[in-house]
């Protein structure tokens, strides 16, 4: 009887890249898998898809200095297009699971402060200029140097603060926490639900979705956050079908018990042809003649500070969530990530959708297992499809998407244990960084307040040499940033 030869070949090493695609994106090297990346990309998209609806509402709800408004359908199409392209570019170049889209806060600044002083084309031209300036700062190494100059524990505080920021966004968007109408005459600016009660069906959907997701997270079920979003959306559709609740505003009148932003109803026509007429509608020189160079410089400075530090904080938070930071709290390929982000700012202006920047909601995808740029390929492709499938994107209500934000906020909060709270020299600046983000609804405000406090405390303790020289310049810029109101009043 013939004996089969022994197989002396070495079994494949599961830690080695399986192919060129795996090797380029470092999927195996970062301990991830294709299924995790796809799942993470889906989670990220569904937690930030609201921007396709919200950005048009913000920009489309304002008029420029000539009294002209941008067409909402065109804003929606361009928002999805730029978000898709820049997210994919971040995945391919930065190879980091950080999605990019029109930045909240910056779009409001453009819509309600900048555009009224000039035309829409002029305002978007300033966004292009700001993006190009940041790109130069990245290429010269200054932006990366500033990032590296921030103490490691302060970077941790930034991530924790963003986690709380995400949590408050989720709670407010879901209607679980609401602004009290007569807050000016009350010592309590926020309250539970409506009149201190959870009195609406949409809020109940959020609560049930949150509890389900938390149980899945505790039981370590794969895809817990994504399952939570889908389950909440299905429940929301059932509730809407049975109760006909409608949106939070009906014919301009508030409906406190309605759905926030999106009503979960399947559209009759899920496919639409995108309107890309806003692409290229910008002017980089007109604003200087119309508003004056002092006003323009102040606007550019404000945009620059906001974009510059928001992205740095978001990058740390997302990397921290996925344990992708080195000993100095720096993610891999930092320069490439920051460069793509700066290109996104300029691209957003060129497409008339405001500055595009890294989205902290990317942490939802990282919580689902995303560790590489492959997740971005999924998220970006979905954004490109959203140009044609915008009616389907708006099926997911805030009450369902917010479930992910609250859960991710908890996961990011866990890093607070690594801060040395016994050392007041770092603990106080870290504390200010953490609390100012949710309480002022701004990442930049938290970073600025924390860094200013850090520099002042070190100087007061006679430890000026412990502060990186770049941080003195950064702190001074933030002082100007916080005092821009009085400065504008004096100058203009």
């Amino acid at each position: 009887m013939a004996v089969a030869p022994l197989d002396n070949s070495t079994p494949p090493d599961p830690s080695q890249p399986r192919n060129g695609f795996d090797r380029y994106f470092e999927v195996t090297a970062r301990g991830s898998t294709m299924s995790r990346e796809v799942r993470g990309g889906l989670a990220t998209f569904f937690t930030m898809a609201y921007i396709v609806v919200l950005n048009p509402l913000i920009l489309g709800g304002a008029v420029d200095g000539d009294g002209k408004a941008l067409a909402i359908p065109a804003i929606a199409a361009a928002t999805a297009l730029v978000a898709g392209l820049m997210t994919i570019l971040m995945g391919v170049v930065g190879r980091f699971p950080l999605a990019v889209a029109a930045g909240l806060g910056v779009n409001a600044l453009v819509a309600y402060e900048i555009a009224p002083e000039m035309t829409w084309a002029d305002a978007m031209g300033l966004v292009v200029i700001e993006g190009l300036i940041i790109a130069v700062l990245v290429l010269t190494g200054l932006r990366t140097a500033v990032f590296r100059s921030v103490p490691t524990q302060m970077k941790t505080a930034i991530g924790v603060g963003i986690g709380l920021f995400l949590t408050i966004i989720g709670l407010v968007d879901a209607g679980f926490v609401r602004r009290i109408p007569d807050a000016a005459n009350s010592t309590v600016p926020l309250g539970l639900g409506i009149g201190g009660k959870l009195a609406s069906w949409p809020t109940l959907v959020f609560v049930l979705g949150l509890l389900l997701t938390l149980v899945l997270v505790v039981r370590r079920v794969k895809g817990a956050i994504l399952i939570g979003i889908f389950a909440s959306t299905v429940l929301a559709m059932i509730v809407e079908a049975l109760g006909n609740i409608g949106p939070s505003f009906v014919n301009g009148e508030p409906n406190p018990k309605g759905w926030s932003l999106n009503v979960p109803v399947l559209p009759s026509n899920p496919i639409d042809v995108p309107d890309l007429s806003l692409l290229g509608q910008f002017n980089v020189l007109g604003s200087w003649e119309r508003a004056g160079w002092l006003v323009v410089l102040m606007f550019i400075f404000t945009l620059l500070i906001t974009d510059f530090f928001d992205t740095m904080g978001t990058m740390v938070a997302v990397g921290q969530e996925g344990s992708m930071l080195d000993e100095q709290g720096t993610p891999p390929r930092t320069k490439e990530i920051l460069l793509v982000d700066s290109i996104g700012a300029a691209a957003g202006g060129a497409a008339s959708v405001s500055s595009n920047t890294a989205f902290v909601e990317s942490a939802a995808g990282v919580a689902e297992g995303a560790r590489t740029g492959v997740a971005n390929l999924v998220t970006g492709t979905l954004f490109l499809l959203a140009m044609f499938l915008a009616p389907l994107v708006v099926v997911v209500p805030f009450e369902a998407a917010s479930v992910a934000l609250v859960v991710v906020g908890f996961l990011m909060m866990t890093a607070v244990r690594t801060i040395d709270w016994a050392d007041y020299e770092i603990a106080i600046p870290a504390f200010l960084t953490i609390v100012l983000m949710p309480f002022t609804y701004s990442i930049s405000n938290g970073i600025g307040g924390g860094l200013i406090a850090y520099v002042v405390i070190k100087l007061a303790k006679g430890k000026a040499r412990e502060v990186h020289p770049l941080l003195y310049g950064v702190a001074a810029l933030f002082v100007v940033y916080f005092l821009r109101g009085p400065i504008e009043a004096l100058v203009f």
Side-chain angles (χ1 to χ4, degrees), residues 41-55:
L42 287 169
T44 295
F45 174 76
F46 283 110
T47 54
M48 61 182 286
Y50 66 84
I51 195 63
V52 178
V53 179
L54 188 55
N55 195 46

Side-chain angles (χ1 to χ4, degrees), residues 178-271:
R178 299 179 186 239
R179 300 173 183 85
I180 296 178
D182 62 345
N185 301 316
S186 172
T187 57
V188 182
L190 299 174
L192 175 68
I194 302 173
K197 301 177 182 178
L198 300 179
S200 71
W201 284 105
T203 304
L204 178 61
V205 168
F206 164 74
V207 171
L208 294 177
L210 178 61
L211 291 175
L212 169 64
T213 307
L214 290 175
V215 169
L216 295 175
V217 169
V218 170
R219 295 181 65 87
R220 302 191 182 279
V221 175
K222 293 182 178 179
I225 294 176
L226 194 57
I227 293 172
I229 295 173
F230 278 120
S232 301
T233 301
V234 172
L235 178 59
M237 293 172 65
I238 295 173
V239 169
E240 175 60 24
L242 295 176
N244 193 26
I245 297 168
S248 55
F249 280 88
V250 180
N251 298 324
E253 296 296 324
N255 175 24
K257 296 184 178 181
W259 301 99
S260 299
L261 190 62
N262 298 338
V263 178
V265 178
L266 283 176
S268 56
N269 183 18
I271 301 177

Side-chain angles (χ1 to χ4, degrees), residues 317-374:
V318 172
Q320 186 173 288
E321 171 62 25
S323 301
M324 293 180 285
L325 305 180
D326 60 20
E327 294 180 355
Q328 286 73 44
T330 304
R333 302 180 66 80
T334 296
K335 183 174 182 179
E336 288 82 355
I337 294 170
L338 295 176
L339 179 60
V340 173
D341 181 80
S342 62
I343 295 173
S352 298
V353 295
S354 181
S355 175
N356 271 234
T357 187
F359 259 56
V360 71
E361 284 86 345
S362 303
V366 173
E368 281 295 343
R371 295 293 183 272
T372 76
V374 176

Side-chain angles (χ1 to χ4, degrees), residues 298-322:
M298 185 59 68
F299 281 147
I300 292 176
F301 175 75
T302 304
L303 288 169
L304 189 68
I305 288 292
T306 303
D307 263 354
F308 193 101
F309 290 97
D310 268 17
T311 298
M312 291 171 62
T314 300
M315 183 173 63
V316 170
V318 172
Q320 186 173 288
E321 171 62 25

Side-chain angles (χ1 to χ4, degrees), residues 97-443:
L98 196 62
V100 178
L104 293 175
V106 176
N107 54 8
L109 173 66
V110 171
Y112 301 115
E113 293 189 39
I114 299 179
E117 300 293 329
M118 54 195 75
T119 67
W120 280 111
D122 295 338
M124 294 303 171
L126 294 187
V127 177
V128 173
I129 293 173
E130 175 254 336
L132 294 177
I133 292 175
I134 293 183
V136 171
L137 295 177
V138 174
L139 292 174
T140 57
L142 180 60
R143 195 179 188 189
T144 305
V146 170
F147 175 75
R148 295 183 185 279
S149 70
V150 178
T152 301
Q153 292 193 59
M154 285 296 291
K155 292 176 182 175
T156 300
I158 290 171
V160 173
I162 291 177
L164 291 181
F165 183 43
L166 277 179
T167 301
I168 191 65
I169 289 174
L171 294 175
V172 171
D173 287 348
F176 190 88
V177 172
R178 299 179 186 239
R179 300 173 183 85
I180 296 178
D182 62 345
N185 301 316
S186 172
T187 57
V188 182
L190 299 174
L192 175 68
I194 302 173
K197 301 177 182 178
L198 300 179
S200 71
W201 284 105
T203 304
L204 178 61
V205 168
F206 164 74
V207 171
L208 294 177
L210 178 61
L211 291 175
L212 169 64
T213 307
L214 290 175
V215 169
L216 295 175
V217 169
V218 170
R219 295 181 65 87
R220 302 191 182 279
V221 175
K222 293 182 178 179
I225 294 176
L226 194 57
I227 293 172
I229 295 173
F230 278 120
S232 301
T233 301
V234 172
L235 178 59
M237 293 172 65
I238 295 173
V239 169
E240 175 60 24
L242 295 176
N244 193 26
I245 297 168
S248 55
F249 280 88
V250 180
N251 298 324
E253 296 296 324
N255 175 24
K257 296 184 178 181
W259 301 99
S260 299
L261 190 62
N262 298 338
V263 178
V265 178
L266 283 176
S268 56
N269 183 18
I271 301 177
D272 196 9
V273 178
D275 178 0
L276 301 177
S277 60
L278 289 178
L279 300 185
Q281 300 298 314
F282 68 96
N283 184 356
V284 296
L285 299 177
S287 57
W288 301 86
E289 299 177 1
R290 180 154 181 169
W293 66 273
L294 282 176
V295 174
V296 169
L297 286 179
M298 185 59 68
F299 281 147
I300 292 176
F301 175 75
T302 304
L303 288 169
L304 189 68
I305 288 292
T306 303
D307 263 354
F308 193 101
F309 290 97
D310 268 17
T311 298
M312 291 171 62
T314 300
M315 183 173 63
V316 170
V318 172
Q320 186 173 288
E321 171 62 25
S323 301
M324 293 180 285
L325 305 180
D326 60 20
E327 294 180 355
Q328 286 73 44
T330 304
R333 302 180 66 80
T334 296
K335 183 174 182 179
E336 288 82 355
I337 294 170
L338 295 176
L339 179 60
V340 173
D341 181 80
S342 62
I343 295 173
S352 298
V353 295
S354 181
S355 175
N356 271 234
T357 187
F359 259 56
V360 71
E361 284 86 345
S362 303
V366 173
E368 281 295 343
R371 295 293 183 272
T372 76
V374 176
N376 277 37
L377 303 184
V378 176
T379 304
T381 300
L382 291 174
F383 267 118
L384 295 180
L385 291 175
M387 289 193 301
F388 303 91
L389 303 174
L392 284 180
V393 173
V394 300
V395 169
V396 182
F398 265 176
E399 288 78 4
S402 296
V403 168
L405 300 185
V406 175
V407 174
V408 170
F410 156 72
L411 295 174
M412 296 173 67
M413 180 70 187
T414 59
V416 74
R417 66 186 184 278
T418 64
I419 298 174
D420 185 2
W421 295 103
D423 181 0
Y424 284 9
E425 293 179 25
I426 193 68
I428 292 176
F431 168 75
L432 290 175
T433 299
I434 292 170
V435 299
L436 285 177
M437 288 188 193
F439 292 160
T440 66
Y441 240 60
S442 168
I443 295 175

